[in-house]
Structures are given as structure tokens and as C-alpha cells.
Amino acid sequence: MSQTRPAAESTLRAGVTLLLDEPVRHASGQAAIVEPNVHGHFVEHLGGVVYDGIWVGTESRIANTGGIRTALIESLKRLRPPIIRYPGGCFADAYHWRDGIGPRGARPRRFGRWGDVSDSNQFGTHEFMHFCRLVGAEPYLAANVGTGTPEEFQHWVEYCNAPAADPRVGTTLGAERAKQEVELYGRSPDPFRVRYWGVGNESWDCGGRFTPEDYCTAYRRFSTWLPGYGVPLAPIACGPNGNDVKWTRRFMAKWADGAKAPITAWAPHYYCGTAGTATQFSVDQWYELLERAALMESLVVDQWGALGEFDPSRSIRLAVDEWGCWHPPDPKLPVEFMFAQISTMRDALVAALTLDIFHRHAEKVLMSNVAQLVNCLHSLYMTRGEQVVETTNYHVYDLYAAHKGATAVGLRVDAPSIGYSRGGQPGRLFRVHGSASVREKTATLTLVHTHASEPIDVSVQIRGGAAREASGLTLAHAQLNAANTFENPKEVAPRPLQASVGPSGVMVQLPPASVTRVQVNLG
Ligand code: AHR
């Protein structure tokens, strides 16, 4: 297995057209923005995600802010994460939120869902809300449908969102939350105002092994009695495992038959798996995993199509609230971190091409949450002792941040594809892939170049506008399996890429195996 690329001269050219005059549109005709929540994250009580990754405790020698790792907070603040999903995952369907409130010393230890490890409940609703506020993210909570009740869910919403001392809508649970925030943490009594609520997780498996019809019945019960308290609640229904259109149709047929429970978004999960291992793979396996990751596009299109058969007014959008690579755990990382893996350039390309797919389908995708934030699958961070490493995935989110909230526009790519061997069978992968958006006078174009060893010259035409200036940043490395590690935390980082404006548009040369952002000043 070799991941080193031979040096090569650029021979190929690709054409890219940015269609400023063709914004991505909603069915209403309105131009669609790249929902900031498409760049969302996921935090589960699993392995080293919460305990060690985020929560080190107030007594830790590791610098912390109320028990939360300060170095992680500082890095996330730079990234401005829009939304974080919590507390699972499979963990959510066995979690009782009351275990995670009150004085920390009095909280129960419970069965931990993941591995034979109990959960100390030191990190609960208040700690999660504090974390979200410290990093500027909106919370997204997943309720327990597996071992919980609709009443427990209703009370969690009430605990988070009810005002404390309002004679009309204030409640005892609201007052309990306010008292804890003030007395235990010295913070504001104001409600948390949580909008996004997941009704269970993976209902087809760890969430209760429901049939789609049975889950639909449970969904109705769990989502009907949620109190508003002035917060526009956005309930999210569990979608299928991957692109299982049959599952979606069966749920939606039941949903459409009778009173329709409110659903803001439909949440399929898609993990593209592995090829080789996280850090050891052949060039063919490089292409194979990228091709598998790109199946996210058919998932988005097919799931959207199936939803539309039952929801022609398009009130339900997609929230792909778990996705990413799933490699075998890395033997160099602590075994108790469970799914911890080292993310390489290959994972960066998977992250980038997945975000590009979501941007290109901006009218369909309301939210996505890469699994998971730290010390786990496809993570943005790894921690060891005091150290916090920003992985290759972190750099993709940083490069792509300019798309958040911008108007999504069309992008046409004309580039040759790449043939490779997929376990002895012929495989084929696009060579250049990307997405585009515009905000005021700046167009942002992100491009994934998949070729393992050759660069490519790209000329970018702009339809509906003219380029005055352009600048580029690229994430690339001579090794396909390059990664940021505890020993070399800055091994992979974006560097400037020359982008020149000429009569035929903007010219850039994409390095092999790279993720690039080009920003064009439209004058
Ligand atoms: O992200 C790890 C696990 O993968 C989640 O808990 C579960 O929802 C999924 O199967």
C-alpha cells in the first residue's frame, strides 16, 4: 500500500461555470440559501466524545470553563458552529434527562449504552446548553422514544423552554430550570429556547426496532403534546438507514393517512464506511471510498422525491443528522474512545464533497450533522491530555464556512472522470466536484479534486456577473493519508492558491487530492 503521489505536470483542463443567474430555488420560486445548519455537528455520550473530548470537569488540570475544555471552546468559536445535536445517537433512546440535572455530586451513574461503561451524568442538559452558548451554537436535542414516554419528552421541552415566573405560562419545571441555572451555575434564569427536537434516533434499529408504520404511530404520540412557550418547535422524524426509499414511503403513507403530525425535517443517516483502514489504503481504495461517499447525492434526491409524493407542499425538508466515514478504530488511540479514528486527506475530501452535495441541493437540505465532533468517527478534533488537534475535517469546515447563509447558485463542471478498480470491478469517479454560492459582491466556489496524483487546470467562467479579483485557498498534501496527529498537529493546513483573473475567467490549478475554495470579487 502506498499513499505517496509521484510528482506530475498538469496536462488536463477542466471547465467550470458558475451560474450566478441560476440560483437554486425552492418550489415557491424563492432563491434558496445554504442553511447554516447544514454545517452542524453531533455530540453523543459515546467513548471519548463527551467525557474527555468536551467535559474535563471543573477540578481538571486541563484548562476549562465550567468543566468544558477551554481550548476546544476557543477553536469552535473561530469555526462558529451553527447547531449541535445531543445526546445521541443510540444513547438518546435510553437517556433520561432528569439523570443529568441537579448538583453533579448527586447525579446517578447509569448504564451507558455504548460499551460496558456506565455514564456519570456529569454532563447533562445544563452543561450542554452552556457548551452551546460558549461556542455560539443552537442546541438540537434528541428525545428518548426507546425507553422513555411522551410525558418525559414533554417535560424535557417544558424544562428547557418554559418561563420561570410568568403568571400565565410559567411552570414549575421552568422554575426548576431557572433556579438551577441561577443557584448552581450563576447564570441567567431565562429559558433555553430549544427549537429543534429529534423524536428518537434510528427507530429502525437501536431506537426501538420499529417498522416504519409503528414508528409513525409512536411519532404521532411523542410529537402531539409538545408545549410551545413561544418557541417555534421544529420536530425532526427519524429517517431510514441510508437511502431506503421503501422505508420512507411506508412511514409517509401512514403519516398522510389521517391527521398529519408536524414534521419539520426527515432525518436519514448515511455512513459511507471504509475501504482499507482510516490511514492505510491503496489508491483504488481512495477512489472507492470517495465514490461511496458521493452516493449521498442520490440519497438526497431520492429521499426528497419520496417525501414529495406525500408532502406536495414541501413543508418537510431533510436533516441528515448523522453521516461520515466509519473506519475501524485506530489502535494508536485509546480503546475506551471506542470508534476513535485518525482523519486523513481522504476524510477531508469526503467531508468536502458531502457538504458540496448539500449546498447544491440547498432547497432540500435544512440541516446536517457530521458524526461526531471529537474523538470519534469523522471528527473535527482529537484530544489527548491538554492537547486539542484540529483534524483535516476541521479545515474543510473552516474553508467552507463562507457558504453558510449565502444564496446557493448553480455550478456546471466539465471534467473527465477517473476509472479505477473497485475490488476487481470497474469503478468510475468524477474528477472535479463542487458547489457555489453568492453573498452580495462575493461568489464562493468550493472544488474537490479527486485525482490521486495529477493536478488539473481549471478555468472558471462566470455567467451573470464578471470577476474583478479572485483568491484561492487549498487543502492538499503529498501523501493521500496525511493527517494532523498529536505529534504533528499542523501537518495539513490550507495554503494560498494562485487564482488569476483573465479574459477567459478565473484560472486556478487544483493540486491532486485537494479541497479548494476560490472567492471571486464581482465588483
Ligand atoms: O455515531 C455512532 C452511532 O451510529 C450512533 O449512536 C447511531 O445513531 C449510529 O448508528
Side-chain angles (χ1 to χ4, degrees), residues 262-493:
I263 302 177
T264 298
W266 179 245
H269 288 176
Y270 176 55
Y271 289 96
C272 63
T274 191
T277 69
T279 55
Q280 296 299 305
F281 49 85
S282 65
V283 170
D284 282 327
Q285 288 169 327
W286 160 272
Y287 291 126
E288 183 183 338
L289 192 59
L290 296 181
E291 192 187 0
R292 223 182 294 147
L295 293 176
M296 184 66 92
E297 183 128 35
S298 33
L299 179 148
V300 168
V301 170
D302 297 349
Q303 292 295 317
W304 183 250
L307 291 175
E309 292 167 21
F310 304 89
D311 173 40
S313 67
R314 291 300 187 189
S315 61
I316 306 173
R317 292 171 77 192
L318 293 169
V320 185
D321 60 15
E322 286 185 35
W323 62 268
C325 295
W326 196 316
H327 306 295
D330 194 291
K332 289 202 274 318
L333 299 174
V335 68
E336 62 274 18
F337 281 7
M338 294 204 73
F339 304 136
Q341 42 191 251
I342 290 175
S343 288
T344 69
M345 280 304 301
R346 186 171 61 159
D347 300 277
L349 267 78
V350 167
L353 71 86
T354 305
L355 290 178
D356 281 327
I357 290 167
F358 295 149
H359 301 163
R360 286 208 302 265
H361 295 279
E363 84 287 19
K364 307 179 182 76
V365 189
L366 182 70
M367 188 196 298
S368 100
N369 310 75
V370 62
Q372 301 196 11
L373 184 68
V374 49
N375 292 336
C376 194
L377 308 166
H378 217 126
S379 294
L380 276 74
Y381 299 97
M382 296 192 299
T383 66
R384 186 174 70 182
E386 297 253 6
Q387 207 180 352
V388 175
V389 171
E390 295 169 344
T391 69
T392 53
N393 304 317
Y394 166 91
H395 289 298
V396 171
Y397 275 78
D398 196 22
L399 274 180
Y400 275 46
H403 284 299
K404 283 187 274 185
T407 302
V409 295
L411 184 72
R412 200 176 289 148
V413 177
D414 181 17
S417 58
I418 299 167
Y420 71 97
S421 167
R422 191 200 301 120
Q425 300 298 313
R428 191 147 278 285
L429 179 69
F430 51 78
R431 180 161 178 159
V432 178
H433 178 284
S435 68
S437 67
V438 65
R439 191 193 324 261
E440 295 168 3
K441 295 285 177 204
T442 304
T444 299
L445 168 67
T446 45
L447 294 169
V448 173
H449 181 215
T450 63
H451 201 285
S453 53
E454 294 165 8
I456 192 163
D457 288 325
V458 177
S459 100
V460 183
Q461 312 284 319
I462 301 182
R463 214 178 70 187
R468 279 181 67 175
E469 287 174 329
S471 61
L473 269 179
T474 195
L475 191 69
H477 195 282
Q479 304 272 341
L480 296 177
N481 64 347
N484 290 338
T485 59
F486 296 112
E487 294 70 33
N488 294 307
K490 306 274 185 210
E491 183 66 26
V492 185

Side-chain angles (χ1 to χ4, degrees), residues 42 44 46 89-90 114 201-202 269 271 322 326 371-372 377:
F42 173 37
E44 178 167 17
L46 187 166
C90 294
W114 286 110
N201 169 75
E202 296 193 352
H269 288 176
Y271 289 96
E322 286 185 35
W326 196 316
Q372 301 196 11
L377 308 166

